[in-house]
Amino acid sequence: MKKFGLLIIGGIAAIVLLANLAPMLALAISLVILYYAYKGFLKTDSTGMKIFWVIAGIIALCASASNLPAMIGAAAAYILYVVYKKWNNKKVTAEKESSDPFTNFERQWAEMKKNN
């Protein structure tokens, strides 16, 4: 039943991620432009070029801010990642230490075989 729930959540997250793929791409492009505008602003000494880089940065910042669906897509990608990790998670059960000499012998014998 747990796998079925993970399958449903993963399916919904995959659909949301695919639906928001274009806004995520637009956000990435606008953030790259914003980064280069910032770097260009820091490198130049000319006042005219500084004004150009500020205008380019403001336009890129507005384009980045308008891509709110990209944040939803990023959240869906994270949920898909968590579902993938939970899906492959194997349940580890700790063996209970017993005082039975035969089970202790079997455990020690297995450890000796593993070390050789």
Side-chain angles (χ1 to χ4, degrees):
M1 190 68 182
K2 184 177 180 182
K3 295 272 186 179
F4 181 71
L6 288 174
L7 183 68
I8 295 296
I9 292 171
I12 291 171
I15 291 170
V16 170
L17 177 66
L18 288 176
N20 292 313
L21 204 55
M24 289 175 68
L25 182 63
L27 177 67
I29 290 171
S30 63
L31 287 176
V32 167
I33 292 170
L34 183 63
Y35 173 75
Y36 282 116
Y38 175 72
K39 286 295 194 178
F41 178 79
L42 291 180
K43 282 184 183 180
T44 189
D45 291 329
S46 169
T47 305
M49 285 303 290
K50 281 194 184 271
I51 292 172
F52 169 75
W53 286 121
V54 166
I55 292 171
I58 289 172
I59 292 171
L61 184 65
C62 290
S64 297
S66 68
N67 284 318
L68 184 64
M71 298 301 163
I72 297 169
Y78 177 73
I79 290 171
L80 202 57
Y81 171 76
V82 169
V83 166
Y84 176 76
K85 284 294 193 181
K86 293 277 185 187
W87 188 276
N88 291 331
N89 191 10
K90 299 212 179 354
K91 205 173 227 185
V92 177
T93 57
E95 287 187 27
K96 192 175 185 181
E97 293 286 328
S98 69
S99 60
D100 185 22
F102 293 109
T103 56
N104 286 336
F105 173 75
E106 291 294 329
R107 183 176 41 82
Q108 288 176 349
W109 184 260
E111 287 176 5
M112 287 175 55
K113 279 182 140 180
K114 197 185 321 180
N115 290 336
N116 288 334

